Amino acid sequence: MSLDTLSDVLRSVRLQGAVFFYVSGHSDWAAEAPAAKEIAPLLMPGIEHVMEYHAVVRGSCWAGILGEAPVQLAPGDVVMFPHGDAHVVSSAPGLRGTVDVRWYDNVLNQPLPLRVAYDGPNLQLVPPPTSDTDPTIVCGFLGYDRQPFNPLIAALPRMLHLRAGEHDAWIARFTEQAAAESHARRPGAEAMLARMSEMMFVDAVRRYADHLPAQSAGWLAGLRDRFVGRALALMHEAPAEDWSIDELGRRIGLSRSALHERFVQMIGIPPMQYLAQWRMQAAARMLLETRSTVAAIALEVGYESEAAFARAFKRLVGKPPAAWRREREAVA
């Protein structure tokens, strides 16, 4: 199978990076981030969901979701919050910062990346200290679409901690290069950081999947499964094909009942339901990225009539495809 299913999903949900902070901390400092849904319209207008990540350049700090135990971060570590939870990054566990959503609105008209310095509870937009003892962090955001169907994000934990180490040289290079781009602020730095953060996320997802326990369930575990992964690849390669569970089973070498049971056990929904939802995601991408008519898109994703496609799209998204397209274009 030639198609890379993970890459197909990443393209379809329009992963993109934007807005960066080059942060240093001195004394007992704490940077508290609100839930992503509160700041997503400010950071990335037109994007449905935003996740935040922090890469430690120098020193050490702690990071965690509010109300949960934090983890300690060392130089080269990266921590991500895929579901957009409110969280704290601080010099010691248990510290809390202040949250002012208006602050993001006030600073985003300045040249990026923004240089932010914490001195205890005080926050300033100034060049960060050059002291080798002050922790320094590169913070960034990744946006993606959650609707109509994003199987990847649901498969990720609320907090993803990537540790630097001898087997993780790519993450170490990302941290070093992100720090250099943030500090130098050369022309094109914002675009460079955006592309690098997208690559870092893909690498993070692959590493997380590689270390899943053998008996894990979920979409990423399904990709690794000999039979479920093959079924997913077939549906992603040709979503418009008139698939049936019998045909899928024949192509991958399982009986109808065995495929159904194995697919539901790993993915959580039956194969035909997954196909229907993925068709809507593929259609949503075409609605946003092309000027094709709704009727043409319906045929592209396997529907014989525009009316049947529109009904299916509305069931999943809540709006007819044409209305959804107009609304998204207006927001963008």
Side-chain angles (χ1 to χ4, degrees), residues 20 22 107 110-116 125-128 178-190 193:
F20 295 89
Y22 187 46
V107 301
Q110 301 192 35
L112 298 176
L114 294 170
R115 295 174 174 177
V116 178
L125 286 174
V126 297
E181 291 290 342
S182 298
H183 188 77
R185 288 172 122 176
R186 297 169 57 198
E190 184 181 352
L193 287 165

Side-chain angles (χ1 to χ4, degrees), residues 194-206:
R195 301 292 85 77
M196 288 169 56
S197 65
E198 293 162 20
M199 293 172 61
M200 183 269 295
F201 175 74
V202 175
D203 188 58
V205 170
R206 293 191 305 186

Side-chain angles (χ1 to χ4, degrees), residues 242-259:
D242 187 19
W243 292 110
S244 67
I245 191 167
D246 296 280
E247 177 61 16
L248 281 172
R250 186 188 69 80
R251 295 280 291 271
I252 66 175
L254 279 183
S255 69
R256 170 193 179 98
S257 59
L259 172 58

